Structure formats: structure tokens, C-alpha cells
Amino acid sequence: LVEFGRMRRGEPARDTFTRAATPGLLVQLEHLAGCGDAAVTARFGELALRAREALAAELPYAGDTAVVTGAGPGSIAEAITAQLLAGGARVVVTTSNLKPARVARFKRLYREHAARGAELHVLPFDQGNREDVEALVAWLYEVRFEARGPKRVKIKDPWTPTLCFPFAAAPAEGDPTDI
């Protein structure tokens, strides 16, 4: 579900630009700041400064892999996911269903909050199902390859979670000793 570079209607270009800043973009902007008339040079100089600031911004969760379970619409888990994305984390979020409306909500969450380097992976998951738990663990630790022409290219290394936020709704019926 990872998407880069899309600007939502009404989103300030500054926010999209700041999240999309890369070292390569900074080099290009600094080069362009030395070309053209004074107005063009000033504008590219301002953009280069903003790119430099964005690249220097500390991302508290960069390099972390977080697993967030039970992320339904409007939940605490969803809010935590937004903060982790803003901090540059790779977030593996689980949800009970992947209907189109839910997928669209996660895409929007990513577009609105993801910082440089952040990733979002959304998986269907039932915490009460042992097979789902085993499948989630297997997916986290598997190495994935993709065929690209005659080459086999690694697209995913094993990920060891460094942060875990388990959320779930407890059943509202039954005997408390069953928990």
C-alpha cells in the first residue's frame, strides 16, 4: 500500500515537498539556485533550504519496524500508526478486514502522515486465530524475491519488530475465566 508523491487536493505543496525531499533533490535544487535570474535563483535557494531542513529533521522511529494489531477506523491503534509513520517507521498494521473503504483509509493515512523512509504494510489478521498468528510471524521473517526478466531480485528482507502495539477487543460475552 505504499504510495509516494501524490498530492491530495487542498494539501499544501510545502507538506508534500518536505516529505519527498531526498539528497538527490537537494543537489539539483542547489545547482538550480545558481542559475537564472535573481527571482529564479532566490526561489530555488528557498526550496534548497527547505529540502536541507527536511533532510536534517530527526525521525525518532527511522529504522524501527513496528507491528500494530487491531487498527480499526478511529481507533487508538490507527492514531499510533499515524505517529509511527510521521516518525519514519516501517509499520506492519493488522486489521480484521481489507474491504476497499478500509484500504482507502490506510492509503490516506499514509499520504497524510508518512515521513521520509516510512513504509506501511496492511495485513488481514484475526488475533484469535492461531493460524493467522503463525502466518503473521512467518510473513515478518520471510525473505521475498521477485522475477524481473531473467533476474531474481530480493524485494524483502526478514524484519524483526522493534516496537509492538497489540490492540484487540475482548469478547463481550462468555465466562471471564475463559480469557
Side-chain angles (χ1 to χ4, degrees):
L1 296 181
V2 178
E3 291 187 353
F4 297 119
R6 287 200 181 169
M7 188 185 312
R8 296 177 301 118
R9 289 179 198 228
E11 178 181 26
R14 161 172 259 168
D15 293 342
T16 298
F17 175 83
T18 301
R19 286 198 308 262
T22 64
L25 176 63
L26 177 59
V27 169
Q28 291 175 354
L29 290 171
E30 288 174 339
H31 170 75
L32 291 170
C35 304
D37 64 24
V40 170
T41 297
R43 182 66 180 138
F44 280 117
E46 176 189 322
L47 291 172
L49 176 63
R50 285 192 12 229
R52 195 175 301 108
E53 289 170 351
L55 288 170
E58 188 173 322
L59 298 173
Y61 303 113
D64 280 320
T65 297
V67 174
V68 182
T69 62
S75 66
I76 294 171
E78 186 180 69
I80 288 173
T81 298
Q83 291 301 308
L84 291 166
L85 289 171
R90 170 187 299 127
V91 182
V92 177
V93 65
T94 68
T95 185
S96 58
N97 78 59
L98 282 180
K99 292 182 179 173
R102 183 77 53 98
V103 171
R105 186 175 181 101
F106 280 112
K107 284 183 178 182
R108 186 173 59 252
L109 185 77
Y110 180 85
R111 282 193 305 267
E112 291 174 358
H113 297 281
R116 173 181 78 257
E119 298 175 28
L120 178 62
H121 304 271
V122 182
L123 304 172
F125 182 68
D126 175 0
Q127 294 180 67
N129 182 321
R130 184 182 185 97
E131 291 170 355
D132 277 10
V133 172
E134 290 171 357
L136 174 62
V137 172
W139 185 86
L140 283 167
Y141 287 97
E142 79 179 333
V143 177
R144 299 184 99 190
F145 292 91
E146 182 176 273
R148 293 187 185 160
K151 295 182 180 180
R152 190 171 176 231
V153 178
K154 186 189 301 186
I155 59 170
K156 180 189 171 293
D157 285 315
W159 297 335
T160 300
T162 54
L163 301 167
C164 187
F165 299 90
F167 290 93
E173 57 187 59
D175 187 339
T177 60
D178 292 338
I179 297 178

